[in-house]
Amino acid sequence: MSGSEAETAIRKRDLEACRSPGTDLSRKSTIGVGVTTDLFFEPETLDELHRLRQLSDELDRDVFVIGGGSNLLFTSRARELILVELSGERFTCFEMSRKDDLFRIDTGAGQPLPPLVRHAVQNDWYTFGRLTGIPGTVGGAIYGNSGTREGEIGDFVSDVYILHPNRPEEHQLENPEFRYRWSSTQDELVLRVVLEGKNDPEDRENPPHERIQNNRQKTQPISERSAGCMFKNPENLSAGRLIDDAGLKGHRVGDAYVSQKHANFIVNDGEATPEEVINLIQDIQKKIQSSYGINLETEIQII
Ligand code: EPU
């Protein structure tokens, strides 16, 4: 499919209004690395989202929702995708309600998770503080079942609503499943999520968000540009400790380097390119394989 055929298909589907050609993806990623693309869309309605999916069939290119760009690396392959940001009101609004001691948050998938968690905690819904520090949107967190030492978003999920396979309507996903950094929602366009939780008896005295925040400040390079933890923890092991023990802290390719503070973070301290980050990832994987015989899998998505 040539560029001009894609342009024709976009016009035919009346999608120009929600498209931003020439989008610099480095501005859409927390690590600040990326290419530019002409296929970047911010739909406002379910109808537009449905038409984007039709465009995807027509152009034979996958739709990819970028979430908050926090655990993503955009390479030149991103140009082959139809990238979608669910930043419109329809996809970011949320409602909080309470029944006895059960707290309920009904939220659009495009809503950023950190302010939602802060809001819940400010209302004394301390249990949601277990998700403190997870960057990006609710939908992004759901996709990879993001979590902290104290819990994963999947622990809180009651209902997940996706775009109906054939119509511009919401459709409830049956029995969503969550495992370590994985969920069964990955092939779906998640629109809305209902989270539920109850405070533990000790949460008021010792709120989870305070524990996590203190620990993150001490142990993670939170003020630098990174994509969060780069690798999944192998079973019963810590990727950060393995990389640290292998002597890779500070190892650099171009403007990308392994954080001195936490070895599972790759930091961009200049104008790192996707290739530099990929080369650094591969250096780490090779070293961990040769030193320990362990295959480190990336936690971030490389698209
Ligand atoms: N460690 C080192 N050197 C390092 C980093 C860590 O020796 O450079 C040691 C620590 O001292 C600790 C152990 O490794 O004894 C584990 O480290 P940490 O407590 O920082 O936890 P983690 O397993 O590396 C996980 C999540 C983080 C989450 C933290 C805290 C994964 C891959 N990582 O990190 O999630 O913030 O627990 O809850 O599951 C993310 O998903 O992006 C992420 C950062």
Side-chain angles (χ1 to χ4, degrees), residues 117 121 126 128-130 132 206-214:
V117 168
V121 165
Y126 297 112
F128 292 105
R130 297 187 161 80
T132 295
N206 184 12
H209 68 282
E210 288 181 5
R211 286 196 295 271
I212 296 175
Q213 200 51 34
N214 291 339

Side-chain angles (χ1 to χ4, degrees), residues 40-281:
F40 192 88
F41 297 86
E42 289 172 83
E44 296 279 345
T45 62
L46 290 192
D47 193 51
E48 279 180 340
L49 202 50
H50 177 69
R51 279 185 275 137
L52 278 166
R53 199 171 43 193
Q54 291 174 326
L55 179 74
S56 144
D57 291 342
E58 210 166 307
L59 300 181
D60 196 19
R61 295 176 189 229
D62 287 335
V63 167
F64 186 91
V65 181
I66 68 161
S70 51
N71 61 345
L72 278 179
L73 181 66
F74 294 115
T75 69
S76 51
R77 279 195 300 137
R79 293 198 185 104
E80 305 301 316
L81 300 167
I82 294 171
L83 296 180
V84 172
E85 185 171 34
L86 297 179
S87 50
E89 167 73 13
R90 167 70 180 76
F91 305 108
T92 54
C93 55
F94 67 88
E95 225 178 75
M96 297 168 82
S97 57
R98 174 179 186 165
K99 190 160 184 263
D100 303 322
D101 58 351
L102 183 72
F103 306 124
R104 187 181 156 95
I105 305 177
D106 184 335
T107 172
Q111 163 65 35
L113 188 59
L116 194 64
V117 168
R118 271 198 301 276
H119 193 65
V121 165
Q122 278 160 7
N123 280 282
D124 300 345
W125 298 13
Y126 297 112
T127 187
F128 292 105
R130 297 187 161 80
L131 305 177
T132 295
I134 299 175
T137 60
V138 170
I142 292 286
Y143 180 97
N145 190 20
S146 297
T148 66
R149 291 260 133 164
E150 308 233 2
E152 300 168 336
I153 195 160
D155 303 340
F156 295 91
V157 172
S158 158
D159 307 308
V160 175
Y161 295 88
I162 58 171
L163 184 63
H164 189 283
N166 311 311
R167 294 191 294 275
E169 285 170 15
E170 274 192 5
H171 176 75
Q172 184 164 7
L173 184 66
E174 272 180 40
N175 306 318
E177 282 179 64
F178 295 89
R179 298 189 206 127
Y180 175 67
R181 301 301 184 261
W182 176 88
S183 82
S184 60
T185 70
Q186 297 194 342
D187 293 330
E188 311 293 346
L189 265 167
V190 175
L191 301 174
R192 189 163 63 88
V193 178
V194 179
L195 304 172
E196 284 183 349
K198 289 182 183 180
N199 284 344
D200 282 353
E202 67 278 10
D203 280 355
R204 182 177 287 274
E205 299 306 313
N206 184 12
H209 68 282
E210 288 181 5
R211 286 196 295 271
I212 296 175
Q213 200 51 34
N214 291 339
N215 191 49
R216 283 183 76 236
Q217 243 144 23
K218 270 189 251 152
T219 62
Q220 297 182 2
I222 49 180
S223 56
E224 286 167 283
R225 286 184 299 163
S226 82
C229 280
M230 193 46 81
F231 300 98
K232 294 181 194 172
N233 283 339
E235 218 172 328
N236 301 321
L237 291 169
S238 154
R241 176 172 290 172
L242 288 171
I243 300 166
D244 188 358
D245 289 350
L248 288 170
K249 271 188 173 172
H251 179 59
R252 173 182 285 276
V253 178
D255 284 347
Y257 72 99
V258 178
S259 165
Q260 293 284 1
K261 203 163 185 186
H262 194 302
N264 199 7
F265 285 71
I266 288 180
V267 173
N268 169 19
D269 67 351
E271 292 176 20
T273 63
E275 294 72 31
E276 286 168 353
V277 179
I278 298 276
N279 288 340
L280 185 52
I281 289 173

